[in-house]
């Protein structure tokens, strides 16, 4: 994972795809926060951005703030971009509080020698102030499950399976019609059936009884 190293498409606010990368979903109005340290006073810090766009691809999660000022990219807490591979996310979850925006949260594992100098014990928090968090988290979860099953990054041309939605409600005004009964369901209207291995003359004896 890394801060302030994402390359952008010329003249856009869209990240340059990596080889074999496919961006699957993005949403704007996202608040970014990367909490560093162990939570104790004096040992903690945070990188924050009040609003930006979060992207999820088959390889990584990317955040771009609404505005970028590369001149202050070395300042403490400045966020011009953020990227992290799915393989470096742990304990991800989708939080739906009673008050406030829905959040995607995860613990991060730094890459050896990665740019950005992000230390261990970092927590990623994305708050979706304009919606879209459920879809974002669902796609990230599907990718994590696929990687857990196969141990590899899903191919960029592979379509990820959609998450299951609720079944359609049944209408009370239109009852479901039962399938038509076959003739075997009315023994009084059909000839008696006999075992396939019945001896000769079996049906004559049966009619006499």
């Amino acid at each position: 994972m890394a801060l302030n190293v994402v390359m952008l498409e010329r003249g856009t606010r869209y990240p340059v795809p990596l080889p074999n990368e496919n961006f699957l979903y993005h949403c704007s109005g996202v608040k970014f926060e990367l909490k560093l340290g162990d939570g104790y006073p004096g040992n903690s810090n945070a990188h924050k951005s009040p609003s930006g766009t979060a992207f999820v691809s088959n390889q990584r999660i990317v955040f771009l703030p609404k505005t970028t000022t590369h001149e202050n990219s070395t300042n403490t807490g400045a966020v011009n971009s953020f990227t992290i591979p799915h393989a470096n996310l742990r304990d991800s979850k989708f939080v739906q509080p009673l008050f406030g925006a829905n959040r995607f949260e995860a613990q991060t594992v730094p890459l050896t020698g990665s740019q950005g100098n992000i230390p261990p014990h970092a927590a990623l928090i994305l708050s979706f102030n304009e919606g879209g968090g459920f879809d974002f988290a669902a796609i990230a979860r599907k990718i994590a499950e696929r990687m857990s099953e196969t141990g590899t990054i899903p191919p960029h041309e592979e379509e990820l399976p959609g998450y299951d939605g609720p079944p359609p409600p049944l209408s009370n005004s239109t009852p479901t019609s039962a399938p038509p009964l076959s003739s075997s369901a009315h023994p009084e209207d059909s000839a008696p059936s006999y075992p396939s291995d019945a001896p000769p003359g079996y049906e004559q004896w049966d009619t006499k009884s």
Side-chain angles (χ1 to χ4, degrees), residues 29-131:
V30 179
K31 178 183 176 181
F32 171 88
E33 187 172 6
L34 185 68
K35 294 183 177 181
L36 310 177
D38 52 16
Y40 289 97
N43 295 332
S44 301
N45 192 11
H47 297 274
K48 299 180 180 181
S49 177
S51 182
T53 303
F55 302 79
V56 56
S57 77
N58 61 322
Q59 298 187 25
R60 57 179 174 158
I61 286 176
V62 176
F63 174 81
L64 297 176
K66 191 173 182 179
T67 58
T68 300
T69 306
H70 288 285
E71 288 77 6
N72 67 355
S73 61
T74 58
N75 291 350
T76 301
V79 178
N80 289 317
S81 67
F82 173 80
T83 178
I84 183 169
H86 292 289
N88 291 80
L89 293 172
R90 298 288 186 274
D91 303 325
S92 61
K93 58 184 177 181
F94 183 60
V95 182
Q96 295 178 285
L98 291 176
F99 303 99
N102 294 337
R103 303 189 304 271
F104 174 83
E105 300 181 357
Q107 300 297 314
T108 65
V109 179
L111 287 170
T112 303
S114 65
Q115 301 181 47
N117 299 322
I118 299 177
H121 307 294
L124 171 65
I125 303 175
L126 299 176
S127 301
F128 297 85
N129 296 315
E130 298 180 7

Side-chain angles (χ1 to χ4, degrees), residues 104-172:
F104 174 83
E105 300 181 357
Q107 300 297 314
T108 65
V109 179
L111 287 170
T112 303
S114 65
Q115 301 181 47
N117 299 322
I118 299 177
H121 307 294
L124 171 65
I125 303 175
L126 299 176
S127 301
F128 297 85
N129 296 315
E130 298 180 7
F134 178 82
D135 292 333
F136 184 97
I139 294 173
R141 175 176 59 84
K142 286 293 184 181
I143 296 174
E145 291 175 353
R146 182 66 59 84
M147 293 180 63
S148 177
E149 294 171 356
T150 64
T152 59
I153 297 173
H156 72 287
E157 69 275 3
E158 179 181 359
E159 182 177 356
L160 293 172
Y163 51 89
D164 298 328
L170 295 177
S171 175
N172 295 328

